[in-house]
Amino acid sequence: MLYYDLHIHSCLSPCGDTDMTPNNICAMAHIKGLDCIALTDHNSTGNVRAMYKAAQKFNINFIAGIELNTAEEVHLLAYFPNVSKAESFNSYIAPYRLHIKNKAEFFGEQYYVDENDDIIKTEEDLLISPLTLPFDDAVKKIRSFGGVPVPAHIFRSSGLVSMLGFIPESACINTVEITKEEKAPQNYKTLISSDAHYLGDISERENALPCENNTAEILAYLDKYM
């Protein structure tokens, strides 16, 4: 069994605490006994390379991810086979971002950091703004970069079912994210992750996947029909 938390935000997400740096996140995941984690900042993969390097120090498998806010304001997680694919996808979605200035006093700062947790620069545009990229197009493009789309917290605010009322069959989604209190939708695999914005919120060693601790196998499991 593979114990995981595949929905974690760093200090690049405006709602992420400034303590959510690569080494702090990996250290907390190590303390909690997790085997695999993913970084899923809002509309950016800007800190995934630093997280990958930090995770190596703690012998934790790291999956490069992102949490998109689509044109419908649906939150969509995406997991990629490696950092380079994630960064290439980040370049692809750049033109779809709205250039709305972040109000740090309201939303929080958005910091790019290196593997030593040193701040490199500050993101000026508000990353939680919706993209102009529709959900269906986002799903297709994620797969074109070798990634796996997983709708985030589908029954909560900005979740797919909450916003649209259903899971579109045309998207061929195989896995969705729910909370442990929610009932799994029929015929879908589920992830239960923390959506952590603070170190203490990172998952305990309680949610597991029935696969080996290998990124390719994890992604194959998530994108395989039940």
Side-chain angles (χ1 to χ4, degrees):
M1 301 296 284
L2 173 65
Y3 291 91
Y4 69 89
D5 188 345
L6 301 184
H7 191 166
I8 299 174
H9 292 270
S10 80
C11 52
L12 179 56
S13 290
C15 40
D17 190 73
T18 54
D19 286 339
M20 294 294 278
T21 59
N23 285 280
N24 285 347
I25 291 170
C26 292
M28 183 61 76
H30 177 74
I31 290 169
K32 293 193 172 188
L34 299 180
D35 302 309
C36 180
I37 61 174
L39 183 63
T40 52
D41 281 318
H42 291 293
N43 289 338
S44 177
T45 66
N47 279 347
V48 295
R49 188 167 293 275
M51 273 287 294
Y52 169 72
K53 293 178 180 179
Q56 289 181 307
K57 302 176 191 176
F58 292 89
N59 196 31
I60 295 174
N61 187 29
F62 172 69
I63 297 178
I66 192 171
E67 184 175 16
L68 301 179
N69 188 7
T70 70
E72 301 89 347
E73 297 199 50
V74 170
H75 285 196
L76 175 64
L77 298 165
Y79 304 110
F80 297 95
N82 53 55
V83 170
S84 295
K85 288 285 188 181
E87 291 176 334
S88 294
F89 181 78
N90 191 60
S91 297
Y92 169 79
I93 65 168
Y96 294 95
R97 294 192 186 101
L98 297 176
H99 297 293
I100 299 173
K101 292 300 179 183
N102 180 34
K103 295 181 179 180
E105 67 279 7
F106 184 78
F107 294 106
E109 295 287 1
Q110 303 175 132
Y111 292 131
Y112 294 94
V113 294
D114 63 20
E115 66 269 27
N116 298 313
D117 295 349
D118 293 325
I119 297 173
I120 301 171
K121 63 178 180 178
T122 300
E123 174 60 54
E124 300 296 335
D125 289 338
L126 182 61
L127 289 174
I128 58 172
S129 300
L131 302 172
T132 58
L133 184 66
F135 177 84
D136 283 348
D137 292 345
V139 166
K140 293 174 184 176
K141 189 52 66 172
I142 288 166
R143 289 205 169 98
S144 76
F145 280 83
V148 176
V150 175
H153 43 76
I154 60 170
F155 297 118
R156 295 193 289 125
S157 176
S158 297
L160 181 61
V161 175
S162 175
M163 297 300 290
L164 302 186
F166 63 100
I167 303 172
E169 291 186 10
S170 59
C172 297
I173 295 294
N174 293 302
T175 300
V176 296
E177 184 189 61
I178 61 173
T179 66
K180 61 184 178 181
E181 295 84 12
E182 294 166 344
K183 183 179 179 180
Q186 190 174 10
N187 298 324
Y188 290 93
K189 296 176 182 177
T190 57
L191 287 178
I192 299 175
S193 293
S194 67
D195 194 4
H197 293 75
Y198 297 87
L199 289 172
D201 293 338
I202 293 173
S203 292
E204 303 292 334
R205 186 179 170 87
E206 56 186 2
N207 303 310
L209 296 175
C211 54
E212 297 296 320
N213 194 9
N214 174 282
T215 298
E217 291 193 28
I218 295 168
L219 297 191
Y221 170 81
L222 295 178
D223 211 27
K224 183 179 180 181
Y225 184 69
M226 292 184 66

